[in-house]
Amino acid sequence: MKSKHLILSAVVALAGFLPQSKASLSLGSADSFAVLGGTTITSTGDTVINGDLGLYTGTDITGFTFSTSPGPGIVNGAHYGPSDDSIALNAKNAARGAYDILAAETSADWSSTALVGLTLDPGVRRFTSNLLLNGVVTLNGGGDPNARFDFLIGSKLTTGSGSSIVLENG
């Protein structure tokens, strides 16, 4: 059975031809979040999120069993937001601090790179615009259980139906 994992901390967390991140990085209060958004979070299918989900200062979380417009999406963790939630605010601030550290580590823009079908090594990837994942991308930890895959997404992450991020050798 394929396990779908989407790790996103506004930094997300979501790597190939770059060296492993150099900075010692702490996500602080964002550490437990798999998805952390600023405007809206929407699931239109069988999304499975393993970790917390948070939204600050956005207005809407839809497509999950706990939302105002329930859907098939599942969150295996807590959910915070969509508004005036101090836990989501603290996580957003911590994620922003980590984002700034990682942004200083890379200048390459991966915005025009389609990740689907790629096997990526640990490292920092920056997308100055949106990231669309429409298929499978594999993250190869190279046998290191502490391997880091950092994805800096300037705007929004959209995952198509049947998409997944697979971790191997980590």
Side-chain angles (χ1 to χ4, degrees):
M1 175 182 192
K2 235 189 244 189
S3 179
K4 292 183 184 179
H5 296 277
L6 177 61
I7 302 173
L8 172 70
S9 313
V11 187
V12 237
L14 288 102
F17 311 105
L18 300 175
Q20 176 130 5
S21 179
K22 301 173 201 112
S24 173
L25 185 69
S26 170
L27 292 176
S29 60
D31 190 54
S32 65
F33 285 82
V35 174
L36 182 58
T39 307
T40 61
I41 298 172
T42 304
S43 170
T44 59
D46 296 329
T47 303
V48 177
I49 295 173
N50 292 309
D52 295 344
L53 176 144
L55 180 64
Y56 188 89
T57 61
T59 58
D60 204 14
I61 299 173
T62 58
F64 295 94
T65 56
F66 58 82
S67 64
T68 56
S69 58
I74 297 169
V75 177
N76 294 317
H79 68 277
Y80 303 96
S83 62
D84 297 328
D85 190 294
S86 63
I87 293 173
L89 171 61
N90 290 339
K92 180 181 177 180
N93 290 337
R96 184 61 197 192
Y99 183 98
D100 291 343
I101 290 169
L102 293 171
E105 289 187 19
T106 183
S107 60
D109 183 1
W110 281 63
S111 295
S112 63
T113 304
L115 297 183
V116 174
L118 294 182
T119 298
L120 304 173
D121 295 327
V124 179
R125 306 298 186 277
R126 180 194 314 221
F127 299 81
T128 56
S129 59
N130 300 336
L131 172 57
L132 170 64
L133 180 61
N134 216 356
V136 177
V137 63
T138 302
L139 306 180
N140 182 357
D144 180 357
N146 298 311
R148 286 201 5 232
F149 301 88
D150 301 304
F151 294 81
L152 307 174
I153 303 169
S155 185
K156 70 180 179 177
L157 168 68
T158 303
T159 58
S161 180
S163 296
S164 63
I165 299 170
V166 177
L167 176 63
E168 67 181 16
N169 302 319

